[in-house]
Amino acid sequence: MEGVSTWMRAPGSESGVGAAEQVAVTGSEREQRLAARPRGLSHAQGYRPEVAGWLRLGFGYERTTGRSRLLVQEQRPPLQVVRAFSTDEGGALVHVHNLSGGVLGGDRCALEIEVGPGARVMLTSTGATRLYRPRAEDRPALQRWQVHVGAGALLEHLPDALIPFAGARYRQEVLISLAEDAGLFWWEIVAPGRVARGECFAYEWLELLFTISRGEFPLALERFRLEPQQRSPGTLARLGPFRYCASLYVCRTGQPRQRWADLEAELAGLAQELSQSGACLWGVSRLVADGLVVRGLAQEGLPLSAGLPQFWRLARLRLYGRTLPLPRKIT
């Protein structure tokens, strides 16, 4: 019936999941989409409507228990979370699922993450993010992150690698705002493709836009775009002789500049230790304030996936006084 929406509520979890709302398309929206369908195409012929995935998560800190909880959960496939687990220090660990198995051509996915004051949150993926080959008529895939980390809170985003398949066209936008004494660990690993299948830099283009700000003050602005068929990734201005790249942003607002100078020097020592001539190269540099960034380049993916946790643990120990194990995986 026109104008009627369907809502589904998922039960709470032991970690305090609140209402989970899965929004269906209204009758009028459904008619508009059917009207916009190109003539001559049917589901039997492989027609796939544009996907608009939506995930909204909110986290809060309970002083009485000393634990962080997943309080608000609104989701629309293909994005989904099932529940939150508790970390060793009482934080909330959440796995972000993509029910499609990866990002398809024409996908439009949006994620809003609100980490309340004092909460500690760890986000991870259930596996590598696969960027599939689109059909010729598909628009480029797009995924947007809108993230706010409240006063005294901490967000750690530790996903598996992005793997662009041959022909993929993908744009990712990440906008992060940090409040007073807010912390952030955010890493990204980008593979050249399905190397075992001979797909090395066979995608059309990959664009990653990344911004961190403290209030209105920008701390990091990154604009990363590779078009392997138009401009070789092997130039010195891009990846040089390497195929895989990684970054780790480490932030905590309000820390004295000397603390960042000391941490930069310590992480630079680790970078020198982990770098291997011709195989893997690491570097560290400070942001304009409140943080630093670690960069990695490698011929193979293993040195990056093994090295990033070492930088994360050391930085976490210096900024928060303790380390945690890597997030466990679920399927």
Side-chain angles (χ1 to χ4, degrees):
M1 188 167 70
E2 182 172 343
V4 176
S5 297
T6 302
W7 297 81
M8 261 176 48
R9 290 193 178 273
S13 75
E14 66 183 23
S15 55
V17 177
E21 300 170 343
Q22 184 169 345
V23 186
V25 184
T26 64
S28 59
E29 289 174 335
R30 197 175 288 115
E31 291 177 2
Q32 292 171 5
R33 293 189 182 184
L34 289 172
R37 179 183 299 180
R39 293 184 178 182
L41 291 178
S42 68
H43 289 283
Q45 294 171 309
Y47 174 77
R48 177 177 176 272
E50 179 181 285
V51 170
W54 171 260
L55 185 64
R56 179 172 174 262
L57 304 178
F59 297 88
Y61 174 71
E62 289 189 340
R63 295 186 180 277
T64 54
T65 63
R67 293 189 173 276
S68 300
R69 300 179 62 193
L70 175 57
L71 300 175
V72 178
Q73 180 186 345
E74 183 182 347
Q75 54 194 14
R76 177 187 296 163
L79 299 178
Q80 184 183 57
V81 299
V82 177
R83 53 167 292 182
F85 297 87
S86 184
T87 68
D88 292 349
E89 64 178 9
L93 166 62
V94 171
H95 300 77
V96 178
H97 298 251
N98 187 316
L99 301 181
S100 299
V103 180
L104 302 171
D107 279 5
R108 292 291 187 271
C109 296
L111 302 95
E112 286 193 10
I113 313 296
E114 180 79 24
V115 184
R120 294 200 172 184
V121 176
M122 186 178 290
L123 294 179
T124 189
S125 57
T126 55
T129 299
R130 298 166 180 83
L131 311 177
Y132 292 126
R133 179 199 302 270
R135 297 170 305 182
E137 66 271 19
D138 286 337
R139 292 198 295 173
L142 171 65
Q143 185 158 277
R144 290 193 176 103
W145 291 75
Q146 185 85 27
V147 180
H148 177 71
V149 185
L154 171 63
L155 173 63
E156 300 171 273
H157 182 238
L158 315 175
D160 294 283
L162 284 174
I163 304 179
F165 285 31
R169 303 187 299 270
Y170 177 73
R171 177 185 174 101
Q172 178 174 283
E173 302 173 4
V174 179
L175 183 61
I176 303 172
S177 64
L178 303 177
E180 180 182 357
D181 192 33
L184 177 74
F185 295 94
W186 188 287
W187 79 36
E188 193 92 70
I189 303 173
V190 180
R194 294 186 296 176
V195 177
R197 292 285 299 271
E199 295 180 4
C200 187
F201 297 119
Y203 55 89
E204 286 195 28
W205 55 266
L206 177 71
E207 187 171 40
L208 307 179
L209 311 181
F210 186 80
T211 302
I212 305 175
S213 62
R214 182 193 65 211
E216 299 298 321
F217 182 73
L219 301 176
L221 297 170
E222 180 175 335
R223 302 294 182 262
F224 176 95
R225 183 180 175 97
L226 286 178
E227 302 170 284
Q229 312 310 313
Q230 305 296 324
R231 301 174 180 83
S232 171
T235 64
L236 291 179
R238 296 178 181 88
L239 302 182
F242 302 102
R243 301 186 299 175
Y244 294 76
C245 60
S247 61
L248 167 64
Y249 280 91
V250 177
C251 297
R252 187 173 183 179
T253 59
Q255 300 298 300
R257 294 183 64 85
Q258 186 58 46
R259 189 168 196 183
W260 292 114
D262 294 341
L263 183 55
E264 180 187 24
E266 194 168 5
L267 293 181
L270 178 59
Q272 185 174 4
E273 178 184 331
L274 295 180
S275 296
Q276 303 173 18
S277 178
C280 181
L281 181 65
W282 291 97
V284 184
S285 61
R286 269 181 285 169
L287 303 180
V288 63
D290 296 325
L292 51 81
V293 60
V294 178
R295 302 283 194 192
L297 296 169
Q299 283 289 346
E300 305 295 335
L302 183 58
L304 299 185
S305 59
L308 281 176
Q310 296 188 56
F311 289 100
W312 166 63
R313 289 190 184 100
L314 179 55
R316 201 183 199 285
L317 180 63
R318 297 295 179 257
L319 292 174
Y320 286 92
R322 67 173 297 177
T323 62
L324 287 180
L326 286 172
R328 52 186 167 174
K329 294 296 179 179
I330 62 172
T331 56

